[in-house]
Amino acid sequence: MPIDIEYFKSAYDKWVEEGLAEFTAGNVLDVVKRYPLIVSEDIPWTPYAGKPSEQTIALVTSGGLYLKDSQAPFNTTSIHGDPSFREIPKTARREDFGLAHAHYDHTLAEQDINVIFPLERLIELEQEGIIGRVAETHYSFSYVNDVVTLLGECIPQLLRKLKAAEVDLLLLVPV
Amino acid sequence: MGNEPERMAKIKPPRALRVKFGRGSMFGEPGNVERQRRIVMDALEALQTMVVPGTVRELSYQWRR
């Protein structure tokens, strides 16, 4: 059964209305505990076919990565979070990244971005022929509560980009 | 990937690896190239061997800050 987004939206709007003042005052954890999390009834499934050595792989993280010099950081203060995503080129280097996500400790990722976004490892495996091709573009989300916009606008946009880039495999790294 | 069993049970990913690392470091300690590589390899293997929807494989690797 697909997710009933209209049902979620009414619960979400109520959650925002009731929690906004508390969230804004900084009592985030208590508000988040009351979040009307969507619980999936079904498990989506696509059987795997092919070989990684002949396919294209892309990374998706929710670590709040963005390119410091050319992209806007995510909104880290809104109760809605930020449902948008940033496109991270394969050529990005460690020093290019900023982290905009207010709900985890960035210390380890700042030491080595591969702990949340192992692009360097994927490129090495591509060079060894274990992975066929590392996609030219990878993606980062950040902290999101607004699943209505996420599912209605941002995820369809992401899927169009992945299909256009002929990505076969996605490695999802939540943070 | 995931690191919170209760949350993963609600999200029901089609296939997943569960790590024992804390939030903010799904691939373990910074600078451990071999460990990071191993986990990516585990993911590629899981992709090819998991045939039951909802399978979650727990990886035994451990590290604490």
Side-chain angles (χ1 to χ4, degrees):
Chain A
M1 184 179 172
I3 292 169
D4 186 345
I5 201 68
E6 286 305 318
Y7 177 80
F8 171 79
K9 186 176 185 314
S10 62
Y12 177 71
D13 289 345
K14 185 167 181 283
W15 175 78
V16 171
E17 184 181 340
E18 292 178 354
L20 181 58
E22 203 176 343
F23 189 96
T24 305
N27 195 7
V28 174
L29 285 180
D30 282 344
V31 178
V32 169
K33 280 179 186 170
R34 302 196 298 268
Y35 183 79
L37 188 69
I38 294 176
V39 178
S40 174
E41 293 183 16
D42 297 331
I43 301 174
W45 181 252
T46 302
Y48 177 68
K51 299 176 184 173
S53 61
E54 298 172 355
Q55 295 179 319
T56 299
I57 190 167
L59 273 174
V60 177
T61 181
S62 57
L65 273 69
Y66 67 101
L67 300 178
K68 282 186 295 192
D69 291 340
S70 58
Q71 296 175 341
F74 293 93
N75 183 334
T76 58
T77 58
S78 169
I79 192 171
H80 300 292
D82 187 336
S84 66
F85 59 84
R86 302 290 180 270
E87 300 185 30
I88 309 292
K90 180 183 180 181
T91 52
R93 295 294 169 258
R94 294 181 182 205
E95 57 272 23
D96 299 333
F97 296 119
L99 296 171
H101 189 311
H103 301 281
Y104 77 95
D105 181 348
H106 299 172
T107 307
L108 300 175
E110 285 172 349
Q111 290 175 37
D112 180 0
I113 199 68
N114 291 284
V115 300
I116 60 169
F117 190 71
L119 181 58
E120 292 176 10
R121 301 293 84 76
L122 292 188
I123 290 172
E124 290 161 4
L125 293 172
E126 178 190 46
Q127 290 167 347
E128 295 173 37
I130 293 171
I131 288 170
R133 191 171 72 90
V134 175
E136 294 302 315
T137 305
H138 305 266
Y139 301 89
S140 179
F141 288 85
S142 184
Y143 180 75
V144 186
N145 286 324
D146 179 6
V147 175
V148 177
T149 304
L150 181 75
L151 290 182
E153 298 176 21
C154 302
I155 295 296
Q157 187 184 359
L158 173 67
L159 293 177
R160 285 194 294 274
K161 289 178 178 290
L162 292 169
K163 286 178 181 173
E166 300 183 325
V167 170
D168 301 297
L169 311 174
L170 265 190
L171 179 55
L172 305 180
V173 186
V175 175
Chain B
M1 295 184 66
N3 63 354
E4 295 184 10
E6 289 180 12
R7 181 159 293 199
M8 292 175 78
K10 292 178 179 173
I11 295 171
K12 298 179 183 171
R15 45 174 82 77
L17 300 178
R18 181 163 81 81
V19 294
K20 294 180 177 177
F21 305 128
R23 194 169 192 197
S25 185
M26 295 293 280
F27 285 78
E29 64 268 54
N32 190 334
V33 172
E34 278 308 308
R35 171 69 52 78
Q36 296 165 6
R37 174 194 166 94
R38 182 67 252 165
I39 295 173
V40 174
M41 294 294 287
D42 288 337
L44 295 176
E45 184 194 5
L47 184 67
Q48 297 170 87
T49 56
M50 289 180 177
V51 293
V52 177
T55 301
V56 176
R57 179 185 164 201
E58 182 178 301
L59 300 183
S60 60
Y61 314 129
Q62 297 199 41
W63 173 70
R64 284 185 180 277
R65 296 174 70 176

